[in-house]
């Protein structure tokens, strides 16, 4: 064996051979930086931002080098759809369909349970619009709410869709639904209108109309237009201003507004225009299983008012009818552009209501009008789903 002193000399010689002063300086500098970084970490309660960013950059660049960029998620266009459904215009039928479609096509469906708050304060509007915009895309949001102008608050505007129906038909459906519910259960109406007195619940609709009860007079009859006019207070006042603003919003913000009287055509157009959301909707709608569900939403105990009451209603709802005929014309124009032949002929404007004798006619003549069987067909323009 060699002496320990000789071995030490050999080790020192090897160390001096491996590390030059430059390398030694580099190591000491790295150690100093490490110590400073450690102190900085302790003082600030975490890693310096530059180290976090460097770590993220190195991690991302490693993934990109090895695998290429993350594959982008391909979203359908449009990927944000709002259905601000109008009450008693077939919306429950459509929502039942949407639940099936959302599961089948994997899109986010949010159907709000709020049915009695269609008008919102500015704060509520912004809050709701932000919540809608933050939903996972693609999404379809639906609620009974008057038109919301997202772009006014610098939020990305979604695509709107909707369905309306003949105004008198909608009014009658709502009148009896509030009182007697539908086939889903006889007690539903009691839960929905617990404060309604018996004399109100069983009030003859002709009395309501002809004696100007609030429920059968303006402004309550001015119902459909505000859904398209918007949240402005003047949108709730029957008149030309609200009517024209509603038409303008339809042309600028709605992909489609259908009419319930031609629901199958509406579903077919939605399938063409929004395939990611509505593919197969017509086959689902026509399936026996769905028909069983859909039949439960029909209003019970509904009957037709007298022709005189219908005439009064029609005159009170002149703005609603102006809007309805505008929507019907736009819908037919869309069908023509798509090349869709209508499966249901449109009913003509019920001009017979305007030509009836004034309300001061003799009682005998009134009975004659009510009993005239030839006028039964004139009621066919009212849909009774």
């Amino acid at each position: 064996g060699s002496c320990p002193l000789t071995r030490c000399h050999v080790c020192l010689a090897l160390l001096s051979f491996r590390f030059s002063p430059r390398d030694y300086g580099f190591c000491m500098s790295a150690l100093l930086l490490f110590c400073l970084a450690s102190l900085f970490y302790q003082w600030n309660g975490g890693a310096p931002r530059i180290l976090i960013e460097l770590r993220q950059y190195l991690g991302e660049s490693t993934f990109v080098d090895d695998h290429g960029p993350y594959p982008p998620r391909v979203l359908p266009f449009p990927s944000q759809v709002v259905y601000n459904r109008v009450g008693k215009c077939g919306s429950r039928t459509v929502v039942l369909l949407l639940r099936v479609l959302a599961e089948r096509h994997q899109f986010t469906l949010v159907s709000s349970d709020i049915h009695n708050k269609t008008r919102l304060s500015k704060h509520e509007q912004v809050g709701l619009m932000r919540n809608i915009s933050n939903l996972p895309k693609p999404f379809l949001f639906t609620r009974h709410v008057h038109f919301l102008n997202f772009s006014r608050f610098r939020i990305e505007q979604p695509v709107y869709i909707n369905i309306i129906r003949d105004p008198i038909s909608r009014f009658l459906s709502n009148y009896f639904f509030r009182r007697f519910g539908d086939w889903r259960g006889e007690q539903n109406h009691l839960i929905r209108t617990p404060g309604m007195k018996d004399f109100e619940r069983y009030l003859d609709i002709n009395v309501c109309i002809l004696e100007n009860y609030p429920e059968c007079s303006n402004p309550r009859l001015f119902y459909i237009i505000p859904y398209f006019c918007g949240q402005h207070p003047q949108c709730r006042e029957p008149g030309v201003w609200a009517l024209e603003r509603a038409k303008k919003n339809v042309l600028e913000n709605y992909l489609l507004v259908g009419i319930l009287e031609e629901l199958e055509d509406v579903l077919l157009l939605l399938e063409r225009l929004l395939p990611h959301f509505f593919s197969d909707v017509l086959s689902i709608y026509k399936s026996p299983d769905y028909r069983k569900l859909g039949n439960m939403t029909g209003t019970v105990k509904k009957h037709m008012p007298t022709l005189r009451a219908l005439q009064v209603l029609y005159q009170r709802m002149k703005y609603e009818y102006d809007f309805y005929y505008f929507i019907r014309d736009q819908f037919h124009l869309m069908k023509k552009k798509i090349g869709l032949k209508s499966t249901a002929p449109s009913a003509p404007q019920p001009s017979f209501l305007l030509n009836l004798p004034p309300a001061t006619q003799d009682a005998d003549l009134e009975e004659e009008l009510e009993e005239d069987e030839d006028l039964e067909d004139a009621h066919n323009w009212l849909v009774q789903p």
Side-chain angles (χ1 to χ4, degrees):
S2 61
C3 100
L5 187 60
T6 307
R7 280 202 292 258
C8 286
H9 281 286
V10 171
C11 290
L12 288 173
L14 285 173
L15 284 173
S16 61
F17 175 77
R18 284 187 179 181
F19 295 100
S20 66
R22 182 180 175 185
D23 292 334
Y24 181 79
F26 177 81
C27 290
M28 293 304 295
S29 299
L31 181 62
L32 179 62
L33 283 173
F34 176 79
C35 294
L36 290 174
S38 177
L39 287 172
F40 195 87
Y41 185 98
Q42 294 176 43
W43 287 336
N44 290 277
R49 180 180 297 273
I50 188 169
L51 291 183
I52 295 173
E53 290 176 353
L54 184 63
R55 191 183 306 152
Q56 288 175 344
Y57 170 76
L58 290 173
E60 288 175 3
S61 65
T62 303
F63 181 87
V64 170
D65 291 341
D66 293 342
H67 308 285
Y70 289 101
R73 189 182 175 198
V74 179
L75 290 173
F77 180 81
S79 59
Q80 304 177 72
V81 179
V82 172
Y83 170 30
N84 63 320
R85 59 188 192 267
V86 182
K88 302 308 297 174
C89 288
S91 60
R92 283 182 299 155
T93 298
V94 178
V95 169
L96 284 174
L97 288 168
L98 283 169
R99 286 174 183 160
V100 178
L101 292 166
E103 187 174 347
R104 181 174 296 190
H105 301 314
Q106 298 298 301
F107 63 84
T108 304
L109 172 66
V110 176
S111 179
S112 173
D113 292 328
I114 301 172
H115 303 293
N116 57 357
K117 192 171 178 59
T118 56
R119 303 185 295 270
L120 309 174
S121 67
K122 284 186 180 179
H123 179 73
E124 290 170 331
Q125 289 177 52
V126 173
L128 177 58
M129 287 186 283
R130 283 181 178 160
N131 288 340
I132 293 172
S133 297
N134 289 331
L135 291 173
K137 299 178 182 65
F139 69 76
L140 193 151
F141 175 85
T142 176
R143 173 179 163 174
H144 291 294
V145 65
H146 294 170
F147 175 77
L148 296 163
N149 190 346
F150 285 66
S151 56
R152 179 188 172 199
F153 297 96
R154 297 183 179 179
I155 304 172
E156 185 181 354
Q157 185 82 354
V159 164
Y160 274 89
I161 58 172
N162 217 321
I163 301 173
I164 67 170
R165 75 194 287 186
D166 180 283
I168 289 180
S169 180
R170 194 218 68 83
F171 166 75
L172 296 178
S173 182
N174 185 64
Y175 185 89
F176 292 106
F177 177 72
R178 289 184 69 244
R179 285 160 170 78
F180 308 114
D182 54 31
W183 294 108
R184 290 177 298 176
E186 285 292 323
Q187 302 304 313
N188 281 354
H189 61 286
L190 298 176
I191 298 169
R192 189 171 288 102
T193 53
M196 186 178 282
K197 308 294 184 186
D198 280 350
F199 79 88
E200 262 186 293
R201 196 173 301 282
Y202 297 101
L203 176 66
D204 184 270
I205 191 167
N206 296 295
V207 174
C208 183
I209 295 167
L210 297 174
E211 296 188 12
N212 299 323
Y213 279 70
E215 187 177 355
C216 302
S217 307
N218 277 318
R220 297 214 190 154
L221 294 179
F222 193 69
Y223 183 85
I224 297 174
I225 288 175
Y227 273 88
F228 299 87
C229 178
Q231 297 289 333
H232 193 285
Q234 203 169 339
C235 286
R236 304 190 292 275
E237 298 175 12
V240 175
W241 188 90
L243 170 65
E244 294 305 318
R245 181 163 173 154
K247 289 179 180 179
K248 185 173 184 289
N249 280 337
V250 167
L251 294 174
E252 293 179 356
N253 297 289
Y254 282 80
L255 180 65
L256 179 71
V257 182
I259 55 175
L260 186 62
E261 291 82 355
E262 300 173 37
L263 180 58
E264 287 194 13
D265 287 350
V266 176
L267 298 178
L268 188 56
L269 277 184
L270 286 171
E271 192 169 358
R272 298 269 187 93
L273 297 170
L274 296 169
H276 184 82
F277 297 92
F278 287 97
S279 285
D280 307 320
V281 65
L282 206 53
S283 60
I284 296 169
Y285 176 69
K286 291 181 176 181
S287 66
D289 291 339
Y290 177 79
R291 287 293 187 184
K292 289 177 186 177
L293 288 173
N295 289 337
M296 301 303 291
T297 63
T299 302
V300 300
K301 298 187 181 181
K302 185 163 59 176
H303 62 270
M304 189 64 61
T306 64
L307 284 175
R308 175 160 312 134
L310 287 172
Q311 180 192 28
V312 171
L313 269 183
Y314 188 75
Q315 290 171 339
R316 287 177 184 169
M317 301 173 86
K318 62 179 182 178
Y319 295 114
E320 293 274 278
Y321 270 101
D322 188 315
F323 184 72
Y324 172 74
Y325 295 134
F326 165 79
I327 292 298
R328 192 177 70 179
D329 289 345
Q330 291 293 319
F331 180 63
H332 290 165
L333 183 62
M334 176 72 78
K335 287 201 295 185
K336 188 176 179 180
K337 287 180 178 178
I338 296 290
L340 175 65
K341 290 184 179 179
S342 180
T343 58
S346 276
Q349 180 174 341
S351 57
F352 69 91
L353 291 175
L354 298 176
N355 297 329
L356 287 177
T360 55
Q361 63 182 347
D362 296 333
D364 293 340
L365 182 55
E366 181 181 353
E367 289 177 8
E368 182 183 333
L369 283 169
E370 289 176 15
E371 293 171 3
D372 189 349
E373 292 182 1
D374 293 336
L375 288 172
E376 287 293 318
D377 290 338
H379 291 161
N380 287 340
W381 61 277
L382 287 168
V383 178
Q384 301 280 336

